[in-house]
Amino acid sequence: MKTRVNRTENIKKVKNSIINITTEKTIINRTEDNYLYTIGDIDLLRTISKLIKSNEISEVANTILNKNKQDNGITFFINKQAAYHNKFHMIDENMSTLDDIEVIIDTQQPDAVIDWILN
């Protein structure tokens, strides 16, 4: 999971955007080229799975996940500003001028991961 921190953004707010869609225990790292990222296993997606269910967007999520599925993984995006405000807006491509949060799932079993996220 990664996102760029723009010059006009407060790094703490960007970190909170990631924490709001993962957990408070998430360790967030910063790169030299101003990206924040976190790496984890499927448990990192537990909050995203809960947000999909609580926002009742399983059908939309299913479409996005399957559209962005490859043999070795899945990629999708979450709107960074929405995440900061504890709103969950999942999209299939980076649409924001400030950059969205990119979620990259490396797996040899993308269908099983999609099933786990949605169920």
Side-chain angles (χ1 to χ4, degrees):
M1 187 175 298
K2 69 177 182 175
T3 191
R4 183 179 64 219
V5 180
N6 297 289
R7 289 186 304 238
T8 58
E9 293 180 305
N10 179 314
I11 192 166
K12 289 181 184 177
K13 289 183 177 182
V14 176
K15 282 183 178 181
N16 281 337
S17 295
I18 294 172
I19 288 169
N20 287 344
I21 58 170
T22 56
T23 69
E24 290 184 13
K25 296 178 183 178
T26 301
I27 297 172
I28 300 171
N29 303 294
R30 186 175 184 181
T31 65
E32 290 181 18
D33 57 349
N34 245 13
Y35 276 82
L36 295 181
Y37 72 95
T38 187
I39 298 172
D41 58 16
I42 200 163
D43 285 332
L44 190 61
L45 299 174
R46 192 172 305 283
T47 303
I48 291 174
S49 176
K50 289 178 184 176
L51 288 167
I52 288 170
K53 293 169 191 164
S54 68
N55 285 286
E56 299 178 354
I57 60 165
S58 293
E59 288 182 37
V60 172
N62 185 44
T63 300
I64 290 170
L65 294 170
N66 278 293
K67 179 181 177 185
N68 292 354
K69 174 178 68 172
Q70 298 97 26
D71 290 338
N72 60 348
I74 309 160
T75 301
F76 62 93
F77 296 86
I78 298 170
N79 182 276
K80 184 171 29 177
Q81 286 81 18
Y84 175 73
H85 293 287
N86 282 310
K87 304 291 181 191
F88 186 72
H89 184 79
M90 184 177 180
I91 45 184
D92 59 354
E93 59 185 80
N94 190 355
M95 300 176 71
S96 173
T97 56
L98 293 177
D99 215 21
D100 291 309
I101 299 169
E102 183 177 15
V103 180
I104 303 164
I105 304 169
D106 292 324
T107 179
Q108 297 301 314
Q109 299 177 340
D111 291 320
V113 172
I114 290 171
D115 186 56
W116 182 87
I117 290 171
L118 297 177
N119 298 307

